[in-house]
Amino acid sequence: MEENESWVVDLGDGTHQVRTCVWSPPGDHPVGCGVIVTVKDNKVVKIEGDPSHPITQGRLCPRCIAMDEVLYHPDRIVHPMKRAREDRGKDTWETISWDEAFDLIESKVREYWSDPGPHSILTFTGTGREITMYSAAYCHAIFNSPNYCMVLSGGACYGPRCTIANFQLGAGYPELDYAAYFSDRYDDPRYEVPKYILVWGKNPIYSSPDGFFGHALVDLMKRGSKLIVVDPQLTWIAARAEYHIDLRPGTDAAIAMALCNVIISEGLYNRDFVEKWCYGFDAFAECVAEWTPERAGEVCWVDPETIYGAARAFATNSPSSALWGLAIDTETNGVQAGHTFLAICALCGYMDIPGGITLAKPASFTGKWRYETVNSVTPESRAKRMYDLDGRYKCWDAAGPGPLPDVTLDWLEMEDWSNVEEPPFGGFRMSYWFGTNPLSCMAASPKRWEKALAKLEFNVSQDVFMNPSIMALCDLVLPLSCSVEHEGIVFPHFGRNSHFLGAMSKAVEPQDTKSDVEIMLELGRRLRPELWPWETPEEFFTAQLHTAYEWGFKDLQQEVVHQQEFEYYKYEKGLLRNDGKPGFDTPTGLIELKSSVYPVFGEQALPYFEEPYFSPYSEQIDQSEKDEYPLVLTTGGRHIAMFHSEHRQISSLRKLNPWPLVTIHPDTASKEGIEEGDWVAIENPLGRCVMKACIRPVVDPRVVHCQHAWWYPEQEGEAPNLFGNYKSNVNNLIPHKKVGVTGYGAPYKTVICKIYKVDSLEG
Ligand code: SF4
């Protein structure tokens, strides 16, 4: 402890406390909750919420409260480990030193660089964790590869929303205004409490998604905000909403168009704002005219009166605000749903007003650096980015940071090009994974991914615990330090619309583990030293901060939380466009109700509703299949105790969610002879999984909801069991490459299924 470290308080008795912000590992979105870590003899003895943190104000979710169980868990990986390629699937790991691990990576990378070239090294990124800020840099600036990959079909998380916002608003992720930029928060005189909050496909109290602190919603409810919730489930917030639009999963675009229909046809929109700042109003109005609440009600299984009521309440109570969530990303029609969601907010003029929706420039300084690293990929290598062999998905190719995940699977499966007339480049040899457990979590059709990734000669992962994907496929695993064991910066919203920067300060010395940033700097110095001049993480973070501020990382540690400056009405002041002119950073300079960008990529300029792929009304399947699989399967809802596939081995958290749950309406359960706690198979023509019945009248009788990302750390890890990876894996039922026209969005929440009782998890 140094004398001027104000974030550290000596309590005497060999005990001290560290004020810090938390991100990851273990997994989490960049919420940056403030914690006070009490340390004795280099051991964390207590973690509690920091009441002085301006956003979280002392509140924590159970995952941080259980941090000590993660830190000192007997199964945690605390040394680098390698295994022979022929031993994949076997628990024959050998502990090695960090030098050996780095030497091994360096020699393999140099070998693959020379034959067949850097493009043969693929990186796979996961979600949420701190590495999200740096994984693109690893791929581009260390490995010199253009193939920055993920396995999530349609990139169906956050990426679609960010792209839609960039195209239509020319501004970074739009967020509910919860006074997060102000030190006195809701009492700041510039702020106004939103009268209504439209919460679309999101359950923030359970998941604090994307860096939004979910309990802010409760703060606002206590101050009088009323809710309109669009969700197929009766969640805690939906139960407290004035209007709950409990739509059929995947029909969001139709509901959104019906809300616009009411707002426009009843003249409830903000004419001044629309005339001055929106492009394509007449065409948009004509487009939504056919989507009356009656028609949408029929298509979406919603009472038209709820649509009328919600539209009127939202449009006539200024200011109101809105939040959008994963449901927009996880449907093939999601671009249209997102397009229309933003249109609702624009029609009402709620953009960048107090108590409305906060906007920011498309990328803050950090967002910029990580994507600019793409320029460090040499032209010869850049020419070998995987692309869709059928020539679709031009939008993804233009906006996506790497190849479309579905295209990546095609290429890996096609590595034998003997049937292709003019084989393109190929020869993929290595993959490097960050914060991802692909076979348990993101991958639609995960068995196909297992087979495809097995073709690669050398797979490396960096993580905290062994998991099914590492056991099945990796040859080297690098152990990561947790967020209280290393230094870092939290950027809510991954640098887009970041209301604060939070310092992650090291509270305890790590075991034989390193942070993602420490590993990145070492690999960078070894492989492309000209791009990696920084000796320490502190130097690196300070250099990053200096691109925008005069102060560095030590200053941020002193401050713990640095709230960013904020101004409302940025579009009037020339603060959203790079040329400094008023307006929005879009081709028309306006919010594009009618897109001038989508047609360039073969997508329609105006929103539309398309029946979800593989739905009960889909024309892509025949009646006999519809009869056999009469239910709609929706998935992806979070549990507060887990982050995707993580935390399953943490006993206090597992007690809160001991088994994977399928939520079934009581009428449906009784029809199938299923009782609470029974094992239930969920099946469709693509596959099946088994979960425990949770019988509640919170879903429509025609819908079931399945938890995602389940595996069993307590079970046999070796193949073929792989910790029971495929037993409760809902992605067994999800198709590959059924993505939207743009490449964005995939049917994770909308496929047909049937359910039936089985005797056990093995049944
Ligand atoms: S949301 Fe939960 S896990 Fe994430 S930083 Fe806050 S308390 Fe920790």
Side-chain angles (χ1 to χ4, degrees):
M1 198 189 334
E2 289 171 28
E3 251 174 38
N4 60 353
E5 290 179 345
S6 65
W7 64 96
V8 184
V9 177
D10 189 352
L11 301 180
D13 185 28
T15 308
H16 65 273
Q17 287 184 326
V18 178
R19 278 186 67 215
T20 180
C21 295
V22 183
W23 190 351
S24 69
D28 187 24
H29 282 126
V31 187
C33 297
V35 297
I36 298 173
V37 188
T38 306
V39 178
K40 184 162 191 185
D41 301 330
N42 195 40
K43 197 156 181 196
V44 172
V45 291
K46 190 175 179 187
I47 292 203
E48 58 198 311
D50 178 0
S52 65
H53 188 291
I55 310 299
T56 58
Q57 299 168 341
R59 294 165 287 187
L60 294 179
C61 82
R63 299 193 303 273
C64 259
I65 294 167
M67 175 80 82
D68 57 335
E69 286 182 68
V70 175
L71 293 172
Y72 308 117
H73 196 288
D75 295 342
R76 186 172 166 197
I77 304 173
V78 288
H79 302 288
M81 299 193 301
K82 73 171 182 181
R83 175 177 71 173
R85 185 183 173 193
E86 57 273 21
D87 277 353
R88 285 181 185 173
K90 293 187 193 152
D91 191 6
T92 56
W93 295 98
E94 175 198 342
T95 296
I96 58 173
S97 70
W98 276 99
D99 279 346
E100 280 175 273
F102 285 131
D103 288 348
L104 182 59
I105 296 171
E106 186 178 344
S107 70
K108 292 282 186 191
V109 170
R110 291 193 187 282
E111 182 191 336
Y112 304 146
W113 272 356
S114 56
D115 178 22
H119 74 279
S120 66
I121 302 168
L122 318 181
T123 62
F124 283 91
T125 190
T127 187
R129 282 192 190 172
E130 183 189 9
I131 185 62
T132 310
M133 298 304 296
Y134 310 109
S135 51
Y138 263 86
C139 184
H140 301 141
I142 295 177
F143 299 131
N144 187 23
S145 171
N147 290 315
Y148 175 61
C149 307
M150 74 193 309
V151 305
L152 185 68
S153 181
C157 180
Y158 198 61
R161 274 174 286 157
C162 291
T163 305
I164 299 163
N166 280 349
F167 285 172
Q168 279 177 254
L169 304 179
Y173 195 90
E175 183 56 280
L176 160 75
D177 184 2
Y178 59 114
Y181 286 92
F182 307 134
S183 56
D184 47 357
R185 298 292 307 278
Y186 309 110
D187 296 324
D188 191 286
R190 288 167 290 181
Y191 183 69
E192 218 177 307
V193 171
K195 295 197 174 60
Y196 275 86
I197 303 171
L198 172 61
V199 187
W200 199 297
K202 196 165 193 159
N203 191 3
I205 292 168
Y206 247 37
S207 55
S208 287
D210 313 320
F212 171 75
F213 178 59
H215 277 264
L217 209 52
V218 180
D219 292 346
L220 290 171
M221 287 160 73
K222 286 181 184 165
R223 287 171 183 257
S225 293
K226 293 177 180 164
L227 302 182
I228 300 166
V229 173
V230 181
D231 198 310
Q233 283 202 77
L234 184 68
T235 58
W236 186 89
I237 50 169
R240 284 150 184 81
E242 194 103 334
Y243 298 94
H244 175 205
I245 302 179
D246 53 343
L247 74 179
R248 172 164 68 93
T251 60
D252 304 62
I255 285 289
M257 286 193 284
L259 290 168
C260 290
N261 174 301
V262 177
I263 292 167
I264 293 172
S265 65
E266 297 189 2
L268 308 179
Y269 61 98
N270 183 328
R271 282 171 201 275
D272 287 349
F273 184 86
V274 168
E275 270 167 29
K276 206 161 173 197
W277 302 111
C278 293
Y279 168 77
F281 173 77
D282 292 341
F284 183 85
E286 200 180 320
C287 161
V288 299
E290 62 187 85
W291 280 97
T292 60
E294 288 72 20
R295 180 176 171 205
E298 200 175 317
V299 168
C300 311
W301 303 345
V302 173
D303 179 356
E305 286 309 314
T306 309
I307 303 172
Y308 279 113
R312 289 167 186 155
F314 189 70
T316 59
N317 283 283
S318 180
S320 285
S321 188
L323 283 158
W324 55 346
L326 188 71
I328 301 286
D329 306 316
T330 43
E331 50 184 286
T332 48
N333 208 196
V335 164
Q336 288 67 39
H339 181 152
T340 323
F341 167 87
L342 292 181
I344 294 169
C345 305
L347 288 172
C348 298
Y350 295 153
M351 295 293 182
D352 232 12
I353 64 169
I357 287 157
T358 59
L359 298 178
K361 279 196 162 189
S364 73
F365 67 99
T366 48
K368 233 169 144 200
W369 172 78
R370 65 183 162 141
Y371 291 123
E372 280 175 0
T373 58
V374 76
N375 298 324
S376 61
V377 179
T378 54
E380 311 80 62
S381 180
R382 211 182 305 175
K384 292 186 174 173
R385 175 169 140 164
M386 286 179 257
Y387 56 89
D388 184 37
L389 295 161
D390 300 326
R392 290 167 292 181
Y393 314 131
K394 294 183 189 71
C395 180
W396 179 286
D397 273 349
L404 179 69
D406 305 77
V407 165
T408 304
L409 180 57
D410 280 355
W411 278 67
L412 289 175
E413 289 183 334
M414 287 270 286
E415 271 288 79
D416 171 9
W417 298 101
S418 48
N419 292 330
V420 179
E421 219 167 280
E422 282 185 49
F425 58 87
F428 303 119
R429 298 184 70 183
M430 170 178 167
S431 75
Y432 197 107
W433 307 354
F434 321 93
T436 183
N437 173 7
L439 304 184
S440 310
C441 190
M442 282 183 168
S445 309
K447 285 188 180 162
R448 283 177 63 183
W449 274 101
E450 183 183 348
K451 226 166 138 191
L453 289 166
K455 292 180 175 180
L456 300 170
E457 291 163 40
F458 186 55
N459 294 322
V460 183
S461 182
Q462 42 199 54
D463 221 314
V464 182
F465 288 99
M466 182 55 58
N467 64 42
S469 309
I470 297 174
M471 184 61 94
L473 294 165
C474 286
D475 309 294
L476 177 66
V477 54
L478 305 179
L480 289 179
S481 52
C482 291
S483 58
V484 295
E485 295 174 318
H486 63 244
E487 285 160 350
I489 304 178
V490 190
F491 307 89
H493 283 303
F494 307 100
R496 295 181 189 90
N497 215 338
S498 284
H499 40 285
F500 73 90
L501 303 180
M504 272 192 281
S505 291
K506 190 192 283 187
V508 286
E509 287 302 323
Q511 306 177 55
D512 191 20
T513 59
K514 292 186 189 296
S515 70
D516 292 303
V517 171
E518 286 171 313
I519 300 170
M520 173 177 79
L521 295 179
E522 176 64 24
L523 287 176
R525 281 191 298 261
R526 281 172 174 248
L527 288 161
R528 296 180 84 188
E530 69 282 10
L531 298 175
W532 297 92
W534 310 285
E535 285 296 324
T536 62
E538 185 194 326
E539 264 183 48
F540 169 72
F541 294 131
T542 293
Q544 291 288 302
L545 289 164
H546 279 174
T547 62
Y549 304 104
E550 285 176 359
W551 42 269
F553 183 67
K554 276 272 176 218
D555 304 292
L556 184 61
Q557 283 187 300
Q558 302 275 7
E559 217 181 339
V560 183
V561 174
H562 175 82
Q563 281 177 284
Q564 310 260 43
E565 283 177 15
F566 183 78
E567 281 193 57
Y568 291 114
Y569 302 103
K570 286 187 282 297
Y571 49 88
E572 290 181 350
K573 302 169 185 167
L575 297 174
L576 286 179
R577 290 173 58 94
N578 285 330
D579 60 11
K581 290 184 183 160
F584 294 80
D585 206 13
T586 60
T588 56
L590 301 168
I591 296 176
E592 299 205 344
L593 299 177
K594 178 182 174 186
S595 173
S596 62
V597 180
Y598 293 137
V600 177
F601 303 120
E603 181 57 284
Q604 296 179 34
L606 292 162
Y608 57 90
F609 170 70
E610 192 173 73
E611 188 56 41
Y613 175 79
F614 223 46
S615 86
Y617 305 110
S618 163
E619 287 175 4
Q620 293 133 335
I621 48 177
D622 60 35
Q623 192 55 46
S624 61
E625 267 183 327
K626 289 175 189 169
D627 293 342
E628 185 170 355
Y629 304 100
L631 301 172
V632 179
L633 163 63
T634 185
T635 181
R638 304 286 188 269
H639 192 283
I640 199 167
M642 313 278 171
F643 186 76
H644 295 290
S645 67
E646 293 193 65
H647 299 103
R648 305 261 181 241
Q649 62 281 88
I650 306 303
S651 60
S652 66
L653 298 175
R654 184 72 180 271
K655 277 183 198 150
L656 298 174
N657 187 192
W659 298 105
L661 298 176
V662 50
T663 305
I664 310 168
H665 190 277
D667 295 349
T668 313
S670 113
K671 212 163 115 196
E672 301 294 337
I674 295 168
E675 292 182 10
E676 178 77 11
D678 281 349
W679 286 107
V680 173
I682 305 100
E683 186 178 314
N684 74 9
L686 296 172
R688 80 196 277 276
C689 65
V690 173
M691 299 193 173
K692 280 210 170 214
C694 169
I695 301 172
R696 305 277 185 280
V698 298
V699 288
D700 187 281
R702 295 161 285 185
V703 173
V704 292
H705 175 269
C706 287
Q707 291 184 338
H708 77 301
W710 264 93
W711 60 290
Y712 301 94
E714 67 276 16
Q715 285 198 9
E716 173 60 53
E718 291 198 339
N721 190 52
L722 296 175
F723 302 104
N725 187 59
Y726 294 109
K727 293 177 184 175
S728 302
N729 193 328
V730 71
N731 287 344
N732 294 341
L733 289 82
I734 309 296
H736 159 73
K737 211 175 179 184
K738 299 299 175 195
V739 298
V741 176
T742 54
Y744 287 99
Y748 279 90
K749 289 181 184 286
T750 57
V751 297
I752 52 168
C753 74
K754 67 178 176 185
I755 56 170
Y756 52 93
K757 185 176 163 177
V758 290
D759 292 337
S760 68
L761 175 60
E762 315 301 326

